[in-house]
Amino acid sequence: MTDDALDPLIHVPTRLKIVATLAALRDGDTLSFTRLQDTIGLTPGNLIIHLRKLEEADYISSTKTSNGTVSITTVALTGHGRKALGAYTQALRDLLGGL
Amino acid sequence: MSTSAPDPLIHHPQRLRVVATLAALPGGDALTVTRLQDMIGLPHGSPIICLRELGHAGYVRTDMTGGDTAQATVVLTCQGRAALDRYIVMLRHLPQVARQAHQVPAPDVRVGDADRDAAAASLGEHFAQGSLTLEELSVRLDATLTATTHGELSQAVQDLPDLTMLEARVRFPRRKRARPGHKPGKPQGKDHGNTIAAETGQVTHEPRLDPVMHA
């Protein structure tokens, strides 16, 4: 057992919160950037950086839609991200045993 | 909120492993540092650093009676166990918080005391905001406190506005209340609407919607 059993990309508290929040959505559902920001309580700049890291690893996907005046960014967990969270949760469960 | 952020001391992967290993021992059992090292599979030296940090926080106690670090024993303190328990509760709470925010549970899912208390508290808040009369409040409180499923619980609050929006609505005029010359007792929302109409001339502007759009 090594330390990378706990996915460092998910382990960071803020990203754990982001991934857990997105995982609570039903498959195919997305969350708007502002809603996510409200739920987690982060500044936009901070959230963007964490989302970018997660997107680079293909854990989340983001879509920007614009109707001319207003553009909305929505994010969702990818299948890969859901699997990674599952593995992370399992690793944590193994670690904590029956506690 | 203490449950919203993981304890940084425990959340660190290596320290988490140390604390979890010690917590799995029967109550009060001590472990030698070398044995701990073997169990965790960490290189020499790194558990010692973890133990020092955890020791400073009072989460573990290291006993070095022999003076030899390799023979030292380490034990989880009550404080450390409590911190780990809090940490585990926080982890369990994490996806739940998110789920509650975005997904309505199925109507036939059973509720617990925490759900009933939360619903009762929100009814109290609606009463305070004036959405419910005292009579309606007591009828709905009865229904809430005896509810067994989410379907029954949601019936009691179904026709009430979203509290987060209500808060936004009252927060706006509350600032105005502090201003001199304002007559107390006048409906707050209306006052706000008149101000807008006077300032911008937008008579058709719907004042009640304004804070909602911000929310």
Side-chain angles (χ1 to χ4, degrees), chain A residues 8-75:
Chain A
L9 220 77
I10 295 186
H11 193 66
V12 174
T14 311
R15 287 202 290 268
L16 177 59
K17 228 182 260 183
I18 294 172
V19 174
T21 305
L22 292 176
L25 298 176
R26 258 164 267 168
D27 246 346
D29 276 5
T30 60
L31 199 61
S32 77
F33 183 86
T34 28
R35 186 82 176 84
L36 186 62
Q37 197 192 323
D38 287 348
T39 312
I40 300 175
L42 276 181
T43 60
N46 220 329
L47 181 58
I48 283 173
I49 288 176
H50 285 301
L51 287 180
R52 201 176 292 154
K53 275 204 178 115
L54 290 169
E55 201 170 5
E56 275 166 13
D58 191 29
Y59 282 6
I60 64 153
S61 62
S62 70
T63 325
K64 197 167 185 173
T65 46
S66 170
N67 67 356
T69 44
V70 191
S71 65
I72 298 170
T73 306
T74 55
V75 283

Short mmCIF file of all heavy atoms in Angstrom, two decimals, chain A residues 8-75:
data_model
loop_
_atom_site.label_atom_id
_atom_site.label_comp_id
_atom_site.label_asym_id
_atom_site.label_seq_id
_atom_site.Cartn_x
_atom_site.Cartn_y
_atom_site.Cartn_z
N PRO A 8 -4.32 12.05 -5.32
CA PRO A 8 -4.01 13.40 -4.84
C PRO A 8 -4.86 14.47 -5.53
O PRO A 8 -5.07 15.56 -4.98
CB PRO A 8 -2.53 13.59 -5.17
CG PRO A 8 -2.23 12.56 -6.21
CD PRO A 8 -3.17 11.42 -6.00
N LEU A 9 -5.36 14.14 -6.71
CA LEU A 9 -6.17 15.12 -7.43
C LEU A 9 -7.52 15.33 -6.74
O LEU A 9 -8.09 16.40 -6.78
CB LEU A 9 -6.39 14.61 -8.86
CG LEU A 9 -6.32 15.70 -9.91
CD1 LEU A 9 -4.91 16.08 -10.18
CD2 LEU A 9 -7.03 15.26 -11.15
N ILE A 10 -8.00 14.27 -6.13
CA ILE A 10 -9.29 14.36 -5.45
C ILE A 10 -9.10 14.70 -3.98
O ILE A 10 -9.96 15.31 -3.36
CB ILE A 10 -10.07 13.01 -5.60
CG1 ILE A 10 -10.41 12.78 -7.07
CG2 ILE A 10 -11.34 13.00 -4.76
CD1 ILE A 10 -11.27 11.58 -7.33
N HIS A 11 -7.95 14.32 -3.43
CA HIS A 11 -7.75 14.44 -1.98
C HIS A 11 -7.77 15.87 -1.46
O HIS A 11 -8.16 16.11 -0.33
CB HIS A 11 -6.45 13.75 -1.58
CG HIS A 11 -6.32 13.54 -0.10
ND1 HIS A 11 -7.16 12.69 0.59
CD2 HIS A 11 -5.49 14.08 0.81
CE1 HIS A 11 -6.83 12.72 1.86
NE2 HIS A 11 -5.83 13.55 2.03
N VAL A 12 -7.35 16.83 -2.28
CA VAL A 12 -7.35 18.24 -1.84
C VAL A 12 -8.78 18.61 -1.44
O VAL A 12 -9.70 18.42 -2.22
CB VAL A 12 -6.86 19.15 -2.99
CG1 VAL A 12 -7.00 20.61 -2.62
CG2 VAL A 12 -5.43 18.81 -3.34
N PRO A 13 -8.97 19.11 -0.19
CA PRO A 13 -10.32 19.32 0.33
C PRO A 13 -11.28 20.02 -0.63
O PRO A 13 -12.42 19.57 -0.80
CB PRO A 13 -10.08 20.18 1.58
CG PRO A 13 -8.73 19.76 2.04
CD PRO A 13 -7.94 19.44 0.81
N THR A 14 -10.82 21.09 -1.26
CA THR A 14 -11.72 21.83 -2.15
C THR A 14 -12.15 20.99 -3.34
O THR A 14 -13.32 20.96 -3.71
CB THR A 14 -11.02 23.09 -2.67
OG1 THR A 14 -10.45 23.76 -1.56
CG2 THR A 14 -11.99 24.01 -3.34
N ARG A 15 -11.18 20.27 -3.91
CA ARG A 15 -11.53 19.47 -5.09
C ARG A 15 -12.40 18.28 -4.68
O ARG A 15 -13.29 17.87 -5.41
CB ARG A 15 -10.26 19.01 -5.81
CG ARG A 15 -9.58 20.13 -6.56
CD ARG A 15 -8.67 19.60 -7.65
NE ARG A 15 -7.50 18.96 -7.12
CZ ARG A 15 -6.34 19.58 -6.91
NH1 ARG A 15 -6.23 20.86 -7.20
NH2 ARG A 15 -5.31 18.94 -6.44
N LEU A 16 -12.16 17.76 -3.48
CA LEU A 16 -13.01 16.68 -2.97
C LEU A 16 -14.46 17.16 -2.89
O LEU A 16 -15.40 16.47 -3.25
CB LEU A 16 -12.51 16.24 -1.59
CG LEU A 16 -13.31 15.16 -0.86
CD1 LEU A 16 -13.37 13.89 -1.69
CD2 LEU A 16 -12.68 14.84 0.49
N LYS A 17 -14.61 18.40 -2.43
CA LYS A 17 -15.94 18.97 -2.31
C LYS A 17 -16.57 19.16 -3.69
O LYS A 17 -17.75 18.88 -3.88
CB LYS A 17 -15.83 20.32 -1.59
CG LYS A 17 -16.84 20.47 -0.46
CD LYS A 17 -16.71 21.81 0.18
CE LYS A 17 -15.93 21.77 1.46
NZ LYS A 17 -15.88 23.09 2.11
N ILE A 18 -15.78 19.63 -4.64
CA ILE A 18 -16.30 19.84 -6.00
C ILE A 18 -16.75 18.51 -6.59
O ILE A 18 -17.86 18.38 -7.10
CB ILE A 18 -15.20 20.46 -6.90
CG1 ILE A 18 -14.86 21.87 -6.44
CG2 ILE A 18 -15.66 20.48 -8.36
CD1 ILE A 18 -13.67 22.49 -7.15
N VAL A 19 -15.87 17.52 -6.49
CA VAL A 19 -16.17 16.22 -7.10
C VAL A 19 -17.37 15.58 -6.42
O VAL A 19 -18.25 15.03 -7.08
CB VAL A 19 -14.92 15.31 -7.04
CG1 VAL A 19 -15.24 13.92 -7.52
CG2 VAL A 19 -13.81 15.90 -7.89
N ALA A 20 -17.43 15.68 -5.08
CA ALA A 20 -18.56 15.09 -4.36
C ALA A 20 -19.86 15.78 -4.73
O ALA A 20 -20.90 15.14 -4.87
CB ALA A 20 -18.32 15.18 -2.86
N THR A 21 -19.80 17.09 -4.89
CA THR A 21 -21.00 17.84 -5.27
C THR A 21 -21.49 17.41 -6.65
O THR A 21 -22.67 17.17 -6.86
CB THR A 21 -20.71 19.35 -5.28
OG1 THR A 21 -20.19 19.71 -4.01
CG2 THR A 21 -21.95 20.15 -5.57
N LEU A 22 -20.53 17.30 -7.59
CA LEU A 22 -20.90 16.92 -8.95
C LEU A 22 -21.37 15.47 -9.01
O LEU A 22 -22.22 15.12 -9.82
CB LEU A 22 -19.72 17.14 -9.91
CG LEU A 22 -19.33 18.61 -10.14
CD1 LEU A 22 -18.10 18.70 -11.01
CD2 LEU A 22 -20.48 19.38 -10.77
N ALA A 23 -20.79 14.64 -8.13
CA ALA A 23 -21.17 13.22 -8.12
C ALA A 23 -22.61 13.05 -7.64
O ALA A 23 -23.25 12.05 -7.93
CB ALA A 23 -20.23 12.42 -7.24
N ALA A 24 -23.11 14.04 -6.89
CA ALA A 24 -24.47 13.95 -6.38
C ALA A 24 -25.51 14.21 -7.47
O ALA A 24 -26.68 13.93 -7.30
CB ALA A 24 -24.66 14.93 -5.23
N LEU A 25 -25.05 14.76 -8.58
CA LEU A 25 -25.98 14.99 -9.70
C LEU A 25 -26.30 13.67 -10.37
O LEU A 25 -25.49 12.76 -10.36
CB LEU A 25 -25.32 15.91 -10.74
CG LEU A 25 -24.93 17.31 -10.33
CD1 LEU A 25 -24.22 17.98 -11.48
CD2 LEU A 25 -26.15 18.11 -9.95
N ARG A 26 -27.46 13.61 -10.97
CA ARG A 26 -27.80 12.41 -11.73
C ARG A 26 -26.98 12.40 -13.01
O ARG A 26 -26.55 13.45 -13.50
CB ARG A 26 -29.29 12.42 -12.06
CG ARG A 26 -30.07 11.50 -11.15
CD ARG A 26 -31.54 11.81 -11.23
NE ARG A 26 -31.89 12.76 -10.18
CZ ARG A 26 -33.04 13.41 -10.13
NH1 ARG A 26 -33.93 13.24 -11.05
NH2 ARG A 26 -33.30 14.22 -9.14
N ASP A 27 -26.77 11.22 -13.58
CA ASP A 27 -25.99 11.09 -14.81
C ASP A 27 -26.58 11.98 -15.90
O ASP A 27 -27.79 11.98 -16.12
CB ASP A 27 -26.01 9.62 -15.28
CG ASP A 27 -24.63 9.01 -15.20
OD1 ASP A 27 -23.66 9.80 -15.05
OD2 ASP A 27 -24.51 7.78 -15.26
N GLY A 28 -25.72 12.73 -16.55
CA GLY A 28 -26.20 13.59 -17.63
C GLY A 28 -26.59 14.98 -17.16
O GLY A 28 -26.75 15.88 -17.98
N ASP A 29 -26.76 15.16 -15.85
CA ASP A 29 -27.09 16.49 -15.33
C ASP A 29 -25.84 17.34 -15.22
O ASP A 29 -24.75 16.82 -14.98
CB ASP A 29 -27.73 16.37 -13.93
CG ASP A 29 -29.22 16.11 -14.01
OD1 ASP A 29 -29.70 15.94 -15.13
OD2 ASP A 29 -29.86 16.06 -12.96
N THR A 30 -26.00 18.63 -15.38
CA THR A 30 -24.87 19.53 -15.22
C THR A 30 -25.21 20.59 -14.18
O THR A 30 -26.36 20.76 -13.80
CB THR A 30 -24.52 20.24 -16.54
OG1 THR A 30 -25.67 20.99 -16.95
CG2 THR A 30 -24.13 19.26 -17.62
N LEU A 31 -24.17 21.28 -13.72
CA LEU A 31 -24.36 22.31 -12.71
C LEU A 31 -23.73 23.58 -13.25
O LEU A 31 -22.65 23.53 -13.85
CB LEU A 31 -23.65 21.86 -11.43
CG LEU A 31 -24.06 22.52 -10.13
CD1 LEU A 31 -25.53 22.25 -9.85
CD2 LEU A 31 -23.23 21.98 -9.00
N SER A 32 -24.40 24.71 -13.07
CA SER A 32 -23.81 25.95 -13.57
C SER A 32 -22.67 26.37 -12.66
O SER A 32 -22.64 26.04 -11.47
CB SER A 32 -24.86 27.05 -13.66
OG SER A 32 -25.10 27.56 -12.37
N PHE A 33 -21.74 27.09 -13.25
CA PHE A 33 -20.56 27.54 -12.52
C PHE A 33 -20.94 28.35 -11.27
O PHE A 33 -20.40 28.14 -10.19
CB PHE A 33 -19.70 28.38 -13.46
CG PHE A 33 -18.42 28.85 -12.87
CD1 PHE A 33 -17.29 28.05 -12.92
CD2 PHE A 33 -18.32 30.09 -12.27
CE1 PHE A 33 -16.09 28.47 -12.37
CE2 PHE A 33 -17.14 30.52 -11.71
CZ PHE A 33 -16.02 29.71 -11.77
N THR A 34 -21.92 29.24 -11.44
CA THR A 34 -22.32 30.09 -10.31
C THR A 34 -22.97 29.28 -9.19
O THR A 34 -22.73 29.54 -8.02
CB THR A 34 -23.33 31.16 -10.77
OG1 THR A 34 -24.05 30.68 -11.89
CG2 THR A 34 -22.64 32.44 -11.13
N ARG A 35 -23.75 28.29 -9.59
CA ARG A 35 -24.42 27.44 -8.59
C ARG A 35 -23.37 26.66 -7.81
O ARG A 35 -23.46 26.54 -6.60
CB ARG A 35 -25.39 26.50 -9.33
CG ARG A 35 -26.27 25.66 -8.43
CD ARG A 35 -27.49 26.46 -7.97
NE ARG A 35 -28.39 25.63 -7.18
CZ ARG A 35 -28.22 25.40 -5.86
NH1 ARG A 35 -27.21 25.94 -5.21
NH2 ARG A 35 -29.07 24.63 -5.22
N LEU A 36 -22.40 26.14 -8.52
CA LEU A 36 -21.32 25.39 -7.89
C LEU A 36 -20.54 26.28 -6.94
O LEU A 36 -20.19 25.90 -5.83
CB LEU A 36 -20.39 24.82 -8.97
CG LEU A 36 -19.29 23.88 -8.53
CD1 LEU A 36 -19.87 22.65 -7.88
CD2 LEU A 36 -18.41 23.48 -9.69
N GLN A 37 -20.32 27.50 -7.39
CA GLN A 37 -19.58 28.47 -6.58
C GLN A 37 -20.33 28.77 -5.28
O GLN A 37 -19.75 28.83 -4.21
CB GLN A 37 -19.43 29.74 -7.41
CG GLN A 37 -18.38 30.69 -6.93
CD GLN A 37 -18.52 32.00 -7.64
OE1 GLN A 37 -18.84 32.05 -8.83
NE2 GLN A 37 -18.32 33.08 -6.93
N ASP A 38 -21.65 28.94 -5.40
CA ASP A 38 -22.48 29.19 -4.22
C ASP A 38 -22.46 28.01 -3.27
O ASP A 38 -22.36 28.17 -2.06
CB ASP A 38 -23.93 29.45 -4.64
CG ASP A 38 -24.10 30.81 -5.28
OD1 ASP A 38 -23.14 31.61 -5.19
OD2 ASP A 38 -25.17 31.08 -5.86
N THR A 39 -22.57 26.81 -3.85
CA THR A 39 -22.64 25.61 -3.02
C THR A 39 -21.36 25.41 -2.23
O THR A 39 -21.39 25.05 -1.06
CB THR A 39 -22.89 24.37 -3.91
OG1 THR A 39 -23.94 24.66 -4.80
CG2 THR A 39 -23.24 23.16 -3.08
N ILE A 40 -20.23 25.64 -2.89
CA ILE A 40 -18.95 25.36 -2.24
C ILE A 40 -18.40 26.57 -1.51
O ILE A 40 -17.65 26.43 -0.55
CB ILE A 40 -17.95 24.81 -3.29
CG1 ILE A 40 -18.55 23.54 -3.89
CG2 ILE A 40 -16.61 24.52 -2.69
CD1 ILE A 40 -17.76 22.97 -5.00
N GLY A 41 -18.81 27.74 -1.95
CA GLY A 41 -18.35 28.95 -1.26
C GLY A 41 -16.92 29.31 -1.59
O GLY A 41 -16.10 29.48 -0.71
N LEU A 42 -16.64 29.39 -2.89
CA LEU A 42 -15.29 29.74 -3.32
C LEU A 42 -15.33 31.02 -4.15
O LEU A 42 -16.38 31.37 -4.68
CB LEU A 42 -14.74 28.64 -4.22
CG LEU A 42 -14.08 27.43 -3.60
CD1 LEU A 42 -13.61 26.51 -4.70
CD2 LEU A 42 -12.90 27.85 -2.75
N THR A 43 -14.18 31.68 -4.28
CA THR A 43 -14.12 32.80 -5.20
C THR A 43 -14.02 32.23 -6.62
O THR A 43 -13.51 31.13 -6.79
CB THR A 43 -12.89 33.68 -4.93
OG1 THR A 43 -11.72 32.86 -5.10
CG2 THR A 43 -12.91 34.24 -3.53
N PRO A 44 -14.51 32.98 -7.63
CA PRO A 44 -14.50 32.45 -9.00
C PRO A 44 -13.09 32.01 -9.44
O PRO A 44 -12.92 30.95 -10.02
CB PRO A 44 -14.98 33.62 -9.84
CG PRO A 44 -15.72 34.50 -8.91
CD PRO A 44 -15.14 34.30 -7.55
N GLY A 45 -12.09 32.83 -9.14
CA GLY A 45 -10.73 32.52 -9.58
C GLY A 45 -10.23 31.20 -9.01
O GLY A 45 -9.62 30.40 -9.71
N ASN A 46 -10.52 31.02 -7.74
CA ASN A 46 -10.12 29.81 -7.05
C ASN A 46 -10.80 28.59 -7.66
O ASN A 46 -10.16 27.57 -7.93
CB ASN A 46 -10.57 29.95 -5.59
CG ASN A 46 -9.54 29.41 -4.65
OD1 ASN A 46 -8.83 28.48 -5.00
ND2 ASN A 46 -9.46 29.98 -3.47
N LEU A 47 -12.08 28.73 -7.90
CA LEU A 47 -12.86 27.60 -8.43
C LEU A 47 -12.38 27.24 -9.83
O LEU A 47 -12.22 26.07 -10.16
CB LEU A 47 -14.35 27.97 -8.43
CG LEU A 47 -15.31 26.89 -8.94
CD1 LEU A 47 -15.19 25.62 -8.13
CD2 LEU A 47 -16.75 27.39 -8.88
N ILE A 48 -12.11 28.27 -10.64
CA ILE A 48 -11.66 28.03 -12.02
C ILE A 48 -10.39 27.19 -12.02
O ILE A 48 -10.25 26.24 -12.79
CB ILE A 48 -11.44 29.37 -12.75
CG1 ILE A 48 -12.79 29.96 -13.15
CG2 ILE A 48 -10.57 29.18 -13.98
CD1 ILE A 48 -12.70 31.35 -13.74
N ILE A 49 -9.46 27.53 -11.14
CA ILE A 49 -8.19 26.81 -11.12
C ILE A 49 -8.40 25.35 -10.76
O ILE A 49 -7.84 24.45 -11.40
CB ILE A 49 -7.22 27.51 -10.15
CG1 ILE A 49 -6.76 28.81 -10.79
CG2 ILE A 49 -6.03 26.61 -9.84
CD1 ILE A 49 -5.88 29.66 -9.96
N HIS A 50 -9.23 25.09 -9.76
CA HIS A 50 -9.50 23.70 -9.37
C HIS A 50 -10.22 22.95 -10.49
O HIS A 50 -9.93 21.80 -10.77
CB HIS A 50 -10.31 23.66 -8.09
CG HIS A 50 -9.51 23.98 -6.87
ND1 HIS A 50 -8.41 23.25 -6.51
CD2 HIS A 50 -9.63 24.98 -5.97
CE1 HIS A 50 -7.89 23.78 -5.41
NE2 HIS A 50 -8.61 24.82 -5.06
N LEU A 51 -11.18 23.64 -11.13
CA LEU A 51 -11.92 23.00 -12.22
C LEU A 51 -10.99 22.68 -13.38
O LEU A 51 -11.10 21.63 -14.01
CB LEU A 51 -13.06 23.90 -12.69
CG LEU A 51 -14.26 24.02 -11.76
CD1 LEU A 51 -15.32 24.94 -12.36
CD2 LEU A 51 -14.88 22.65 -11.46
N ARG A 52 -10.05 23.58 -13.66
CA ARG A 52 -9.13 23.36 -14.76
C ARG A 52 -8.29 22.11 -14.49
O ARG A 52 -8.07 21.29 -15.37
CB ARG A 52 -8.22 24.59 -14.92
CG ARG A 52 -7.60 24.67 -16.30
CD ARG A 52 -6.81 25.94 -16.45
NE ARG A 52 -7.65 27.13 -16.47
CZ ARG A 52 -7.21 28.35 -16.09
NH1 ARG A 52 -5.98 28.49 -15.64
NH2 ARG A 52 -8.01 29.38 -16.14
N LYS A 53 -7.83 21.98 -13.25
CA LYS A 53 -7.03 20.80 -12.90
C LYS A 53 -7.82 19.52 -13.09
O LYS A 53 -7.31 18.53 -13.61
CB LYS A 53 -6.58 20.90 -11.44
CG LYS A 53 -5.31 21.72 -11.30
CD LYS A 53 -4.56 21.37 -10.04
CE LYS A 53 -3.29 22.18 -9.97
NZ LYS A 53 -3.24 23.12 -8.88
N LEU A 54 -9.07 19.57 -12.67
CA LEU A 54 -9.92 18.39 -12.79
C LEU A 54 -10.25 18.10 -14.26
O LEU A 54 -10.37 16.95 -14.66
CB LEU A 54 -11.22 18.58 -12.00
CG LEU A 54 -11.06 18.58 -10.48
CD1 LEU A 54 -12.34 19.04 -9.80
CD2 LEU A 54 -10.69 17.19 -9.98
N GLU A 55 -10.36 19.17 -15.04
CA GLU A 55 -10.69 18.99 -16.45
C GLU A 55 -9.49 18.43 -17.21
O GLU A 55 -9.65 17.61 -18.11
CB GLU A 55 -11.15 20.31 -17.06
CG GLU A 55 -11.96 20.10 -18.32
CD GLU A 55 -12.63 21.37 -18.83
OE1 GLU A 55 -12.38 22.45 -18.25
OE2 GLU A 55 -13.38 21.28 -19.80
N GLU A 56 -8.29 18.87 -16.82
CA GLU A 56 -7.08 18.36 -17.47
C GLU A 56 -6.96 16.86 -17.27
O GLU A 56 -6.46 16.14 -18.13
CB GLU A 56 -5.84 19.07 -16.91
CG GLU A 56 -5.55 20.39 -17.61
CD GLU A 56 -4.56 21.24 -16.84
OE1 GLU A 56 -3.91 20.71 -15.91
OE2 GLU A 56 -4.44 22.43 -17.17
N ALA A 57 -7.42 16.36 -16.14
CA ALA A 57 -7.35 14.94 -15.86
C ALA A 57 -8.58 14.21 -16.40
O ALA A 57 -8.74 13.02 -16.19
CB ALA A 57 -7.25 14.72 -14.35
N ASP A 58 -9.45 14.96 -17.09
CA ASP A 58 -10.67 14.41 -17.65
C ASP A 58 -11.61 13.86 -16.55
O ASP A 58 -12.31 12.89 -16.76
CB ASP A 58 -10.34 13.31 -18.69
CG ASP A 58 -11.58 12.91 -19.49
OD1 ASP A 58 -12.47 13.76 -19.66
OD2 ASP A 58 -11.65 11.73 -19.90
N TYR A 59 -11.57 14.49 -15.40
CA TYR A 59 -12.50 14.08 -14.33
C TYR A 59 -13.83 14.82 -14.48
O TYR A 59 -14.85 14.35 -14.04
CB TYR A 59 -11.91 14.39 -12.95
CG TYR A 59 -10.86 13.41 -12.48
CD1 TYR A 59 -10.41 12.40 -13.32
CD2 TYR A 59 -10.34 13.48 -11.20
CE1 TYR A 59 -9.45 11.51 -12.91
CE2 TYR A 59 -9.38 12.58 -10.77
CZ TYR A 59 -8.93 11.61 -11.62
OH TYR A 59 -7.99 10.72 -11.20
N ILE A 60 -13.75 16.01 -15.03
CA ILE A 60 -14.98 16.78 -15.26
C ILE A 60 -14.99 17.30 -16.69
O ILE A 60 -13.94 17.34 -17.34
CB ILE A 60 -15.14 17.97 -14.29
CG1 ILE A 60 -14.01 18.99 -14.52
CG2 ILE A 60 -15.17 17.53 -12.85
CD1 ILE A 60 -14.40 20.39 -14.13
N SER A 61 -16.15 17.68 -17.16
CA SER A 61 -16.22 18.34 -18.46
C SER A 61 -17.00 19.63 -18.27
O SER A 61 -17.90 19.70 -17.43
CB SER A 61 -16.93 17.44 -19.47
OG SER A 61 -18.25 17.20 -19.03
N SER A 62 -16.61 20.65 -19.00
CA SER A 62 -17.35 21.91 -18.88
C SER A 62 -17.80 22.35 -20.27
O SER A 62 -17.12 22.13 -21.27
CB SER A 62 -16.50 22.98 -18.21
OG SER A 62 -15.46 23.37 -19.05
N THR A 63 -18.96 22.96 -20.30
CA THR A 63 -19.52 23.44 -21.56
C THR A 63 -19.90 24.89 -21.37
O THR A 63 -20.52 25.25 -20.36
CB THR A 63 -20.81 22.67 -21.93
OG1 THR A 63 -20.67 21.32 -21.49
CG2 THR A 63 -21.07 22.71 -23.41
N LYS A 64 -19.52 25.70 -22.35
CA LYS A 64 -19.89 27.11 -22.27
C LYS A 64 -20.94 27.38 -23.33
O LYS A 64 -20.73 27.12 -24.50
CB LYS A 64 -18.64 27.97 -22.53
CG LYS A 64 -18.82 29.41 -22.09
CD LYS A 64 -17.49 30.12 -22.07
CE LYS A 64 -17.65 31.52 -21.52
NZ LYS A 64 -16.37 32.18 -21.34
N THR A 65 -22.09 27.84 -22.87
CA THR A 65 -23.14 28.17 -23.83
C THR A 65 -23.41 29.66 -23.75
O THR A 65 -23.36 30.25 -22.67
CB THR A 65 -24.45 27.41 -23.54
OG1 THR A 65 -24.72 27.51 -22.14
CG2 THR A 65 -24.34 25.97 -23.93
N SER A 66 -23.68 30.25 -24.89
CA SER A 66 -23.91 31.68 -24.91
C SER A 66 -25.11 31.99 -25.79
O SER A 66 -25.29 31.39 -26.85
CB SER A 66 -22.67 32.38 -25.46
OG SER A 66 -22.97 33.73 -25.71
N ASN A 67 -25.95 32.89 -25.30
CA ASN A 67 -27.09 33.29 -26.13
C ASN A 67 -26.92 34.73 -26.59
O ASN A 67 -27.88 35.46 -26.79
CB ASN A 67 -28.41 33.07 -25.39
CG ASN A 67 -28.57 34.00 -24.20
OD1 ASN A 67 -27.66 34.76 -23.88
ND2 ASN A 67 -29.72 33.95 -23.55
N GLY A 68 -25.68 35.14 -26.71
CA GLY A 68 -25.41 36.49 -27.18
C GLY A 68 -25.02 37.42 -26.05
O GLY A 68 -23.91 37.94 -26.03
N THR A 69 -25.92 37.60 -25.09
CA THR A 69 -25.62 38.54 -24.00
C THR A 69 -25.06 37.82 -22.77
O THR A 69 -24.13 38.28 -22.15
CB THR A 69 -26.88 39.33 -23.60
OG1 THR A 69 -27.96 38.42 -23.54
CG2 THR A 69 -27.17 40.41 -24.60
N VAL A 70 -25.66 36.69 -22.44
CA VAL A 70 -25.25 35.98 -21.24
C VAL A 70 -24.60 34.65 -21.64
O VAL A 70 -25.15 33.92 -22.47
CB VAL A 70 -26.46 35.68 -20.32
CG1 VAL A 70 -25.98 35.19 -18.97
CG2 VAL A 70 -27.34 36.91 -20.18
N SER A 71 -23.45 34.37 -21.07
CA SER A 71 -22.87 33.04 -21.31
C SER A 71 -22.85 32.27 -20.00
O SER A 71 -22.56 32.83 -18.94
CB SER A 71 -21.47 33.16 -21.88
OG SER A 71 -20.61 33.74 -20.95
N ILE A 72 -23.23 31.03 -20.09
CA ILE A 72 -23.30 30.19 -18.90
C ILE A 72 -22.35 29.02 -19.06
O ILE A 72 -22.34 28.35 -20.10
CB ILE A 72 -24.74 29.67 -18.68
CG1 ILE A 72 -25.69 30.85 -18.46
CG2 ILE A 72 -24.79 28.73 -17.50
CD1 ILE A 72 -27.14 30.46 -18.48
N THR A 73 -21.53 28.80 -18.05
CA THR A 73 -20.65 27.64 -18.06
C THR A 73 -21.26 26.58 -17.16
O THR A 73 -21.63 26.85 -16.03
CB THR A 73 -19.26 28.02 -17.52
OG1 THR A 73 -18.78 29.12 -18.28
CG2 THR A 73 -18.30 26.87 -17.66
N THR A 74 -21.40 25.39 -17.71
CA THR A 74 -21.91 24.30 -16.89
C THR A 74 -20.84 23.22 -16.79
O THR A 74 -20.06 23.03 -17.71
CB THR A 74 -23.19 23.68 -17.48
OG1 THR A 74 -22.91 23.28 -18.82
CG2 THR A 74 -24.34 24.65 -17.45
N VAL A 75 -20.79 22.58 -15.63
CA VAL A 75 -19.81 21.52 -15.43
C VAL A 75 -20.51 20.22 -15.03
O VAL A 75 -21.58 20.25 -14.45
CB VAL A 75 -18.77 21.90 -14.35
CG1 VAL A 75 -17.77 22.86 -14.88
CG2 VAL A 75 -19.44 22.44 -13.12
#
